[in-house]
Amino acid sequence: MRVKIGGKIKNFRTIWMKGKTVRMIDQTKLPYKFEIYDSLDFKQTAEAIKKMIVRGAPAIGVAAGFGIAQAILDAPEDRFEEFLKHAVETLRDTRPTAQNLFWTIDRILKIVIKGKNVSEKKKLAVDEANKIADEDVETCKKIGEYGDKLIKDGDKILTHCNAGALATVDYGTALAPIRFAHYEGKKIFVFVDETRPRCQGSRLTAWELSQEGIEHAIIADNAAGYFMQKGEIDLVIVGADRILSNGLTANKIGTYEKAVLAKENEIPFYVAAPTSSFDLKSKEIPIEKRSQDEILYMFGLNDEGKFSRVRIAPKKSQALNPAFDTTPAKFITSFITEKGILKPKDFRKLFK
Amino acid sequence: MRVKIGGKIKNFRTIWMKGKTVRMIDQTKLPYKFEIYDSLDFKQTAEAIKKMIVRGAPAIGVAAGFGIAQAILDAPEDRFEEFLKHAVETLRDTRPTAQNLFWTIDRILKIVIKGKNVSEKKKLAVDEANKIADEDVETCKKIGEYGDKLIKDGDKILTHCNAGALATVDYGTALAPIRFAHYEGKKIFVFVDETRPRCQGSRLTAWELSQEGIEHAIIADNAAGYFMQKGEIDLVIVGADRILSNGLTANKIGTYEKAVLAKENEIPFYVAAPTSSFDLKSKEIPIEKRSQDEILYMFGLNDEGKFSRVRIAPKKSQALNPAFDTTPAKFITSFITEKGILKPKDFRKLFK
């Protein structure tokens, strides 16, 4: 992705591996500071996922892949299996909703088993983790190309949360079509839901769009319906954390609200996601409940330029904080994947 | 309303007049500090409305009434009309959406005209302004009694923004039925939408419910749909800033979203409002656009206990901030007024 540093434009991936170190853009510091966080072992990578230094389903998947590779590199030969098992459990326990986390871990484990000895297993793991990261870039490019066809010159697009380059290795899922439309010279405008409680819209999506020079405005999540009703939104594109065989889609809390409102206002509502976010086996999706402090406080930069928090709520009040919701397929126009624009009936024949 | 101060429970109105001073609970300081703001003349009262020291359609109406009374008390005899005209314009220009503001001003002006001389006019104005405040209390009590009948023991209720005692002189509109149900011993639970951008839900509604000891939890506005979908919300009650003859209701931004979601999930959606919020003449409702800083920053108490703000968004990003939206009648189950539970067809015969 394009990042302006000291007046120059540089290209960055969200996450990559260098030697045994997993390097990632520290998303808890954005949009105030652009900093790279170095994770030295699988435990630090698991912590980075938990603390949302890296977040977004595809990026979480890639991070977990690198974490497994780190664990395999560090595993002592005499208790290789035990060490690896512990690492897998630690990484699987970081966040429950994103399908990509489980998909990546399973994919690497299946490859590693083929290694004839520990040194071969190490090589296989690192190669596969890197391959998954590279594939994610290609996948997002394809999502961008397919999705771009749905965007007309002059369109105003609503997006929720951050399903951008920062939620993947590069380009993004929901933001890939928006980037491609912009690169092609289509004049577009993006309404960015701020996406309480963690404000990934204001903090991350607005930052990515600023870096790209794409016209946008942040709105309160409450205002999306207002702009739809006024006819100011032509289409909605969001990402996904997990998609079931019937099309039921888990994504950032509030996605369901926007989908229902889009249907009511006859606005196309697209979910952009790689096939690694699809879970055709499960019947339901576990929803992560996060700390109530995310609702009771707001985090940001104070007037002295220091990162700090302010309390919004009365001392005695409590909050409930589900991090995701699920949107039934009837509210989703289509799914934008690297295999094309799909409906749930297409899933089984395309994903094996 | 009940306010716990130093371990004791005291009763307060949101706003009242003492001599020539308009006294009001400073709502920009809540929930951190309970402070009374003294406005000494109509200009200060107009500023207090603008700065939202007092807010909520019925309370804005009463404040404007007191402001007119202040202006009449201060008006020099030789240019009484001119002074009053300026005061009326100043007060009318404070906030565009709340109908009560215009209703109260018109009502007082109609009475004042009957005064035979300036001294009689002064008395008439002060008496009428106080009468409007007293009536507001009675009106909210009736709304509470009617609305209470819609709440069953064990109900979980969603409310948006603050349509509580603080938005009126006492009791509230949407919160009056909730208070009455609680006083009667019904076990209820309130989901409080935080209501970005100004968070009147987290700051004011949660504070009122805490003072009353009513069980509640603050949720991100994004999470209301999630809890509806899970069957955890039995009914929704909100207030209104203005209601047209066809039932179209302006209220805090996000109300339309909750109404559409309630209909989708077959949950009754009630609007509680005094008849002074009804505007049977207009065909549309002007929507106030507020400063983008309300979206780009969040205001609250920092860890040192000082009121401060944090910036959430990138430096170059902008925001759009409509303060209200309008909900068509088809999404509203009924209107809870001091004249009973109504449908739009009842409006004309009841309000003259």
Side-chain angles (χ1 to χ4, degrees):
Chain A
M1 79 196 84
R2 292 157 55 104
V3 181
K4 286 176 210 154
I5 299 177
K8 282 186 189 156
I9 290 167
K10 292 193 178 183
N11 259 301
F12 275 91
R13 283 187 172 191
T14 296
I15 184 165
W16 67 99
M17 202 167 175
K18 194 173 179 181
K20 229 187 65 188
T21 303
V22 181
R23 310 201 73 192
M24 53 190 101
I25 298 173
D26 186 342
Q27 302 192 36
T28 62
K29 303 272 168 65
L30 286 174
Y32 321 111
K33 246 188 216 170
F34 183 82
E35 241 177 57
I36 304 300
Y37 173 83
D38 283 339
S39 159
L40 304 180
D41 58 28
F42 84 85
K43 280 182 192 161
Q44 286 184 4
T45 300
E47 271 304 297
I49 296 172
K50 250 190 181 160
K51 288 185 179 158
M52 297 175 71
I53 291 170
V54 61
R55 31 63 54 203
I60 289 172
V62 171
F66 285 143
I68 293 289
Q70 284 177 309
I72 291 177
L73 289 175
D74 275 341
E77 227 166 297
D78 55 338
R79 40 186 203 91
F80 183 87
E81 290 300 330
E82 186 192 339
F83 191 93
L84 180 56
K85 198 179 157 216
H86 173 59
V88 167
E89 276 164 16
T90 305
L91 285 158
R92 286 179 74 100
D93 281 354
T94 48
R95 303 208 48 204
T97 306
Q99 169 64 9
N100 314 61
L101 177 72
F102 310 102
W103 180 86
T104 313
I105 294 174
D106 290 349
R107 178 166 153 179
I108 297 187
L109 291 180
K110 265 184 207 158
I111 293 288
V112 166
I113 227 164
K114 293 179 187 165
K116 288 187 193 94
N117 51 48
V118 167
S119 117
E120 216 179 288
K121 284 177 197 289
K122 288 182 193 221
K123 190 178 173 332
L124 285 171
V126 173
D127 286 354
E128 191 68 9
N130 277 312
K131 197 176 158 203
I132 289 170
D134 290 343
E135 280 178 18
D136 187 75
V137 178
E138 290 312 307
T139 293
C140 287
K141 267 193 201 170
K142 281 186 191 144
I143 289 173
E145 286 163 11
Y146 282 116
D148 177 22
K149 293 175 194 156
L150 303 168
I151 300 173
K152 290 191 298 293
D153 190 34
D155 269 355
K156 293 181 179 174
I157 306 158
L158 173 73
T159 189
H160 190 68
C161 195
N162 174 269
L166 291 165
T168 61
V169 176
D170 207 345
Y171 297 101
T173 51
L175 291 197
I178 290 170
R179 278 196 160 84
F180 279 58
H182 174 69
Y183 295 157
E184 265 182 38
K186 291 180 194 168
K187 194 172 156 45
I188 54 171
F189 183 89
V190 183
F191 285 93
V192 179
D193 274 348
E194 65 172 6
T195 319
R196 278 283 286 159
R198 289 185 67 103
C199 292
Q200 294 95 334
S202 332
R203 292 184 211 276
L204 305 179
T205 298
W207 180 81
E208 281 193 38
L209 296 174
S210 296
Q211 299 295 317
E212 294 280 357
I214 298 172
E215 259 199 274
H216 65 281
I218 301 165
I219 57 170
D221 303 301
N222 281 324
Y226 169 87
F227 288 108
M228 287 189 196
Q229 194 190 36
K230 280 177 72 83
E232 294 197 26
I233 292 173
D234 298 298
L235 69 159
V236 187
I237 315 181
V238 301
D241 286 79
R242 193 187 297 213
I243 300 164
L244 300 190
S245 61
N246 60 3
L248 187 78
T249 297
N251 191 43
K252 179 59 51 204
I253 192 78
T255 302
Y256 166 66
E257 295 197 353
K258 308 315 152 197
V260 170
L261 286 154
K263 194 172 179 73
E264 167 63 26
N265 288 283
E266 295 174 8
I267 296 166
F269 186 94
Y270 299 104
V271 171
T275 54
S276 51
S277 297
F278 286 75
D279 170 8
L280 302 189
K281 285 178 200 152
S282 299
K283 293 277 171 238
E284 52 190 318
I285 304 173
I287 297 296
E288 179 179 6
K289 311 288 187 300
R290 294 186 59 87
S291 159
Q292 62 171 342
D293 282 0
E294 293 184 353
I295 309 280
L296 302 175
Y297 294 88
M298 182 71 111
F299 298 79
L301 217 61
N302 69 16
D303 283 347
E304 285 79 48
K306 267 182 67 180
F307 190 73
S308 57
R309 67 176 192 176
V310 292
R311 179 152 182 126
I312 311 155
K315 269 186 201 156
K316 286 182 186 165
S317 290
Q318 299 197 313
L320 293 169
N321 186 17
F324 301 93
D325 59 25
T326 56
T327 301
K330 68 171 173 170
F331 298 108
I332 299 166
T333 309
S334 327
F335 295 82
I336 310 171
T337 76
E338 77 275 23
K339 306 205 183 223
I341 313 284
L342 309 179
K343 301 272 184 191
K345 65 176 170 49
D346 309 315
F347 294 172
R348 285 202 191 272
K349 58 183 173 207
L350 281 169
F351 317 151
K352 280 138 205 168
Chain B
M1 77 197 84
R2 292 157 55 104
V3 182
K4 286 176 209 155
I5 298 176
K8 281 185 189 159
I9 290 166
K10 292 191 178 184
N11 260 301
F12 275 89
R13 284 188 172 190
T14 296
I15 185 165
W16 66 99
M17 202 167 175
K18 194 173 179 182
K20 227 187 65 187
T21 303
V22 180
R23 310 201 71 192
M24 53 189 102
I25 297 174
D26 186 342
Q27 302 192 36
T28 63
K29 302 274 168 65
L30 285 174
Y32 320 111
K33 245 189 218 172
F34 183 82
E35 241 176 58
I36 303 300
Y37 173 83
D38 282 338
S39 158
L40 304 180
D41 58 29
F42 84 86
K43 281 181 191 163
Q44 286 184 3
T45 300
E47 271 305 297
I49 296 171
K50 250 190 181 163
K51 288 187 180 159
M52 296 176 72
I53 291 170
V54 62
R55 30 64 55 201
I60 288 172
V62 170
F66 286 142
I68 293 289
Q70 283 177 310
I72 292 177
L73 289 176
D74 275 340
E77 228 165 297
D78 55 339
R79 37 186 205 91
F80 183 88
E81 289 301 330
E82 185 193 339
F83 190 93
L84 180 57
K85 198 178 158 217
H86 173 59
V88 167
E89 275 165 14
T90 306
L91 285 158
R92 286 179 73 101
D93 281 353
T94 49
R95 304 210 45 205
T97 307
Q99 171 62 9
N100 313 61
L101 177 72
F102 310 102
W103 180 86
T104 313
I105 294 174
D106 291 349
R107 179 167 153 179
I108 296 185
L109 292 179
K110 266 184 206 156
I111 292 288
V112 166
I113 228 164
K114 294 179 186 164
K116 289 186 193 93
N117 51 49
V118 168
S119 118
E120 216 179 288
K121 282 177 196 291
K122 288 182 194 220
K123 191 181 173 330
L124 283 171
V126 173
D127 286 354
E128 190 69 7
N130 278 311
K131 196 177 160 202
I132 289 170
D134 290 342
E135 280 179 18
D136 187 75
V137 178
E138 290 311 307
T139 292
C140 288
K141 268 194 201 172
K142 280 186 192 146
I143 288 172
E145 286 163 10
Y146 282 117
D148 177 21
K149 291 174 194 157
L150 303 169
I151 300 173
K152 290 190 298 293
D153 191 33
D155 270 355
K156 292 180 180 175
I157 306 158
L158 174 73
T159 190
H160 190 68
C161 194
N162 174 270
L166 291 165
T168 60
V169 176
D170 207 347
Y171 297 101
T173 52
L175 291 196
I178 290 170
R179 279 197 159 83
F180 279 59
H182 173 70
Y183 296 157
E184 266 183 36
K186 291 180 193 167
K187 193 172 158 44
I188 53 171
F189 183 89
V190 183
F191 286 92
V192 179
D193 274 348
E194 64 172 5
T195 320
R196 278 283 285 157
R198 289 184 68 102
C199 292
Q200 294 95 335
S202 332
R203 291 183 211 277
L204 305 179
T205 298
W207 180 80
E208 280 193 39
L209 296 174
S210 296
Q211 300 294 316
E212 293 281 357
I214 298 172
E215 259 200 272
H216 66 281
I218 301 164
I219 58 171
D221 303 300
N222 281 323
Y226 169 87
F227 288 109
M228 287 189 195
Q229 195 190 35
K230 281 178 71 81
E232 293 197 27
I233 292 173
D234 298 298
L235 69 160
V236 186
I237 315 181
V238 300
D241 285 79
R242 193 187 297 212
I243 300 164
L244 300 190
S245 62
N246 60 3
L248 187 79
T249 297
N251 192 43
K252 180 57 52 204
I253 191 78
T255 302
Y256 166 66
E257 295 198 352
K258 308 315 152 197
V260 170
L261 285 154
K263 194 174 179 74
E264 168 62 26
N265 288 283
E266 296 174 7
I267 297 166
F269 187 94
Y270 300 105
V271 170
T275 53
S276 51
S277 297
F278 286 75
D279 169 8
L280 302 190
K281 285 176 200 153
S282 299
K283 292 277 170 238
E284 53 190 315
I285 303 173
I287 298 296
E288 180 180 6
K289 310 289 187 298
R290 295 186 58 89
S291 161
Q292 62 171 343
D293 283 358
E294 293 184 352
I295 309 280
L296 302 174
Y297 294 88
M298 181 70 112
F299 298 79
L301 218 60
N302 69 15
D303 283 348
E304 285 79 49
K306 266 183 69 181
F307 190 73
S308 58
R309 65 177 193 177
V310 292
R311 179 152 182 127
I312 310 156
K315 268 185 201 156
K316 286 183 187 164
S317 289
Q318 299 197 313
L320 293 170
N321 185 19
F324 301 92
D325 59 25
T326 56
T327 301
K330 69 171 174 169
F331 299 108
I332 299 166
T333 309
S334 331
F335 295 83
I336 310 171
T337 77
E338 78 273 23
K339 306 205 183 219
I341 314 283
L342 309 179
K343 301 273 185 191
K345 65 176 171 48
D346 309 315
F347 294 172
R348 285 203 191 271
K349 59 183 173 206
L350 281 170
F351 317 150
K352 279 138 204 170

